[in-house]
């Protein structure tokens, strides 16, 4: 589970802007937001850093 | 950090890539159907076999690199990011399994109805490479449609 869309919206960024900041395609941001694709630890850290959050705030596992 | 323009360009190229790969897979399978429908006497001409080998090699290069023909390092990196690499690996794995299963099927078939080495290899390689290509194209198309 993740709150990527909410965090991105809060920053006022488009998917393409966030994608450019972390160096991935818009498709990757879109599939992560829609919970179709689980990102690697490296990408999760990059996303959290770009959004000014910790990885645990951005991603979590449903009990 | 990449430029937003690069991301948009990679998005456009990625959609185009999945469409091109899908059409290429259909053309490839259609070509091989015509090959097997033709008479064995004319089937194995050097020109036909050469064209098939070149096409197989081209598809393998496309599957190995995700599109070595795309220009611009930034866009190429974005086109081959995490999701595309994962889709490519899954497609290569599928291609491997299709190749093995087809090889077993050809082996069993040859017990009852002998095939030439050329025919057997042609079937195995065509199905293995074609399955990997169509799988990658469909995975990418699906990923682009989400959202």
């Amino acid at each position: 589970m993740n709150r990527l869309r909410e965090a991105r919206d809060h920053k006022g960024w488009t998917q393409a802007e966030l994608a450019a900041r972390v160096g991935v395609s818009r498709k990757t941001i879109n599939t992560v937001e829609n919970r179709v694709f689980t990102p690697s630890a490296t990408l999760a850290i990059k996303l959290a850093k770009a959004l000014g959050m910790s990885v645990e705030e951005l991603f979590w596992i449903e009990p | 950090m990449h430029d937003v323009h690069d991301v948009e360009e990679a998005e456009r190229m990625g959609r185009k890539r999945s469409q091109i790969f899908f059409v290429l897979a259909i053309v490839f399978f259609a070509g091989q159907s015509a090959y097997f429908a033709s008479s064995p006497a004319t089937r194995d001409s050097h020109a036909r076999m050469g064209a098939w080998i070149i096409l197989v090699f081209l598809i393998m290069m496309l599957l190995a690199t995700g599109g070595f023909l795309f220009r611009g390092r930034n866009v190429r990196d974005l086109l081959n990011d995490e999701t595309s690499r994962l889709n490519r690996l899954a497609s290569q794995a599928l291609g491997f399994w299709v190749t093995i299963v087809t090889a077993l099927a050809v082996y069993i078939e040859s017990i009852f109805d002998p095939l030439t080495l050329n025919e057997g290899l042609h079937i195995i390689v065509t199905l293995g490479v074609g399955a990997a290509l169509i799988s990658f194209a469909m995975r990418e198309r699906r990923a682009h449609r989400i959202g």
Side-chain angles (χ1 to χ4, degrees), chain B residues 9-29:
Chain B
E9 179 70 3
E11 172 79 9
R12 199 177 57 79
M13 302 283 273
R15 284 179 189 274
K16 199 183 273 184
R17 174 176 66 178
S18 64
Q19 288 163 358
I20 290 170
F21 279 22
F22 193 76
V23 171
L24 181 61
I26 289 168
V27 168
F28 181 62
F29 279 129

Side-chain angles (χ1 to χ4, degrees), chain A residues 5-62:
Chain A
R5 180 166 291 156
E6 295 93 304
R8 180 177 60 76
D9 285 345
H10 184 71
K11 289 274 185 186
W13 295 342
T14 62
Q15 287 182 336
E17 282 169 336
L18 177 59
R21 284 169 190 271
V22 295
V24 295
S25 65
R26 194 202 63 83
K27 174 190 69 184
T28 294
I29 300 297
N30 192 35
T31 49
V32 173
E33 283 187 358
N34 285 288
R35 293 155 195 177
V36 173
F37 172 64
T38 305
S40 67
T42 307
L43 181 55
I45 292 166
K46 281 183 184 174
L47 286 166
K49 196 176 171 190
L51 292 161
M53 299 169 80
S54 68
V55 175
E56 292 83 357
E57 284 175 312
L58 197 56
F59 296 96
W60 69 94
I61 295 169
E62 286 272 288

Side-chain angles (χ1 to χ4, degrees), chain B residues 9 13 67-77 79:
Chain B
E9 179 70 3
M13 302 283 273
F68 64 97
L69 298 169
F70 291 115
R71 287 182 189 168
R73 193 194 164 104
N74 281 353
V75 173
R76 213 168 39 231
D77 285 349
L79 269 169

Side-chain angles (χ1 to χ4, degrees), chain B residues 118-137:
Chain B
N118 269 2
E119 285 171 340
L121 288 176
H122 201 110
I123 293 168
I124 294 164
V125 173
T126 296
L127 288 181
V129 169
L133 182 66
I134 209 157
S135 163
F136 180 64

